């Protein structure tokens, strides 16, 4: 089992600027079980504004998209000649189209790890702009939809970066299959239950004449004691057993 706790740390006003580290240890433990670093700086407002622009719509796997990064100094002039660095992070995202409340369009058995595409560096032109091109990779298999998080960082004269972020919706399949229960009551053993099935396009419209196959699985969770990083701990493992076709 996993647990979490939150600790608030007040940084005193007299603290020196620079990099600090924080470590977590179990009572009496000699080695940290977790660590993180953070930076303490004097407050310095941003001296430029950075924006990402591109058409606001859903994108499909394999599609190529272009976006423009524009940086402007807060005193009005374009940030010409500054260096900009861009990247895109693909993360799993839910699919909840309007009009299909109560349906779950997700395969809970699938796992997806963040995928990062580095788009390189460029120099802003005389208008403080630069264009990047990204091809959404094929073959990604998230539980549902994908989120593409575009980020662009423009470096100021002193080396400090100002970052803009834009999130997009990405579809890895031409349609989504969702399930919902007809009853809102708890399911009971040995009592028939009715399932609703929907096949929906990314725009939320229904798919016509789509052949589907279904199977009922029994899901079991087992607690297993494992050796992890020199320590034993219990982990929960999911096990599925096929019972019958739908």
């Amino acid at each position: 089992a996993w647990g979490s706790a939150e600790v608030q740390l007040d940084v005193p006003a007299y603290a020196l600027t620079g990099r600090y580290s924080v470590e977590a240890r179990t009572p009496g433990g000699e080695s940290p079980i977790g660590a993180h670093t953070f930076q303490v700086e004097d407050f310095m407002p941003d001296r430029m504004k950075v924006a990402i622009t591109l058409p606001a719509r859903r994108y499909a796997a394999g599609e190529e998209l272009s976006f423009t990064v524009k940086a402007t100094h807060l005193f009005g002039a374009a940030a010409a000649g500054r260096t900009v660095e861009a990247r895109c992070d693909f993360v799993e995202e839910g699919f909840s189209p309007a009009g299909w409340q109560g349906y779950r369009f997700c395969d809970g058995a699938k796992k997806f790890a963040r995928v990062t595409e580095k788009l390189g560096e460029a120099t802003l032109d005389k208008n403080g702009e630069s264009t990047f091109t990204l091809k959404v990779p094929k073959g990604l298999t998230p539980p549902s939809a994908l989120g593409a998080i575009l980020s662009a960082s423009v470096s100021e004269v002193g080396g400090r970066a100002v970052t803009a972020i834009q999130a997009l919706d990405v579809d890895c399949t031409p349609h989504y299959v969702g399930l919902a229960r007809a009853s809102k009551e708890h399911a009971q053993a040995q009592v028939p239950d009715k399932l609703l099935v929907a096949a929906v396009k990314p725009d939320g419209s229904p798919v016509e004449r789509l052949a589907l196959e279904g199977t009922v699985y029994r899901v079991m969770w087992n607690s297993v004691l494992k050796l992890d990083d020199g320590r034993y701990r219990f982990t929960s493992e999911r096990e599925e057993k096929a019972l019958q076709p739908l």
Side-chain angles (χ1 to χ4, degrees):
W2 290 89
S4 63
E6 181 177 329
V7 178
Q8 182 174 342
L9 174 65
D10 294 326
V11 179
Y14 55 81
L16 298 177
T17 59
R19 185 179 298 275
Y20 288 75
S21 64
V22 58
E23 296 180 347
R25 289 185 172 87
T26 56
E30 296 182 359
S31 301
I33 59 175
H36 192 71
T37 61
F38 62 94
Q39 193 82 10
V40 174
E41 297 180 348
D42 292 325
F43 175 73
M44 182 181 296
D46 293 337
R47 288 172 289 191
M48 69 171 62
K49 179 181 179 181
V50 181
I52 296 175
T53 57
L54 77 165
R57 62 178 181 84
R58 302 186 71 92
Y59 291 83
E63 186 175 359
E64 187 174 270
L65 63 91
S66 296
F67 62 95
T68 300
V69 180
K70 182 177 179 62
T72 307
H73 292 293
L74 295 185
F75 56 78
R82 305 312 309 158
T83 300
V84 56
E85 182 178 3
R87 59 183 282 174
C88 180
D89 292 288
F90 295 98
V91 298
E92 63 176 272
E93 186 177 85
F95 178 69
S96 303
W100 300 95
Q101 289 76 12
Y103 283 84
R104 185 170 186 265
F105 298 89
C106 180
D107 185 349
K110 289 184 177 180
K111 302 296 181 183
F112 183 80
R114 177 187 292 253
V115 175
T116 299
E117 293 276 347
K118 294 185 178 181
L119 306 179
E121 294 184 351
T123 300
L124 299 179
D125 62 17
K126 63 180 181 179
N127 298 318
E129 297 181 352
S130 183
T131 300
F132 290 88
T133 300
L134 165 68
K135 186 171 184 179
V136 180
K138 292 183 177 181
L140 300 180
T141 56
S144 187
L146 270 185
I149 304 175
L150 302 174
S151 62
S153 300
V154 179
S155 299
E156 295 179 343
V157 176
R160 186 183 181 206
V162 179
T163 302
I165 296 177
Q166 181 71 44
L168 307 172
D169 296 317
V170 175
D171 301 300
C172 295
T173 58
H175 57 263
Y176 296 87
V177 176
L179 293 175
R181 293 184 61 233
S183 173
K184 295 183 179 180
E185 304 295 330
H186 291 292
Q188 300 180 30
Q190 306 302 322
V191 176
D193 202 18
K194 183 179 180 181
L195 289 177
L196 306 177
V197 183
V200 181
K201 298 177 183 178
D203 62 4
S205 61
V207 177
E208 299 180 359
R209 298 180 182 180
L210 180 66
L212 297 174
E213 295 181 355
T215 304
V216 177
Y217 288 85
R218 179 183 180 185
V219 179
M220 297 171 288
W221 290 92
N222 303 313
S223 294
V224 181
L225 183 64
K226 287 187 174 182
L227 180 63
D228 183 17
D229 195 22
R231 295 174 179 269
Y232 285 97
R233 64 181 181 90
F234 281 98
T235 60
S236 296
E237 295 185 348
R238 175 185 174 123
E239 180 182 354
E240 294 182 353
K241 181 180 180 181
L243 298 181
Q244 65 183 53
L246 289 174

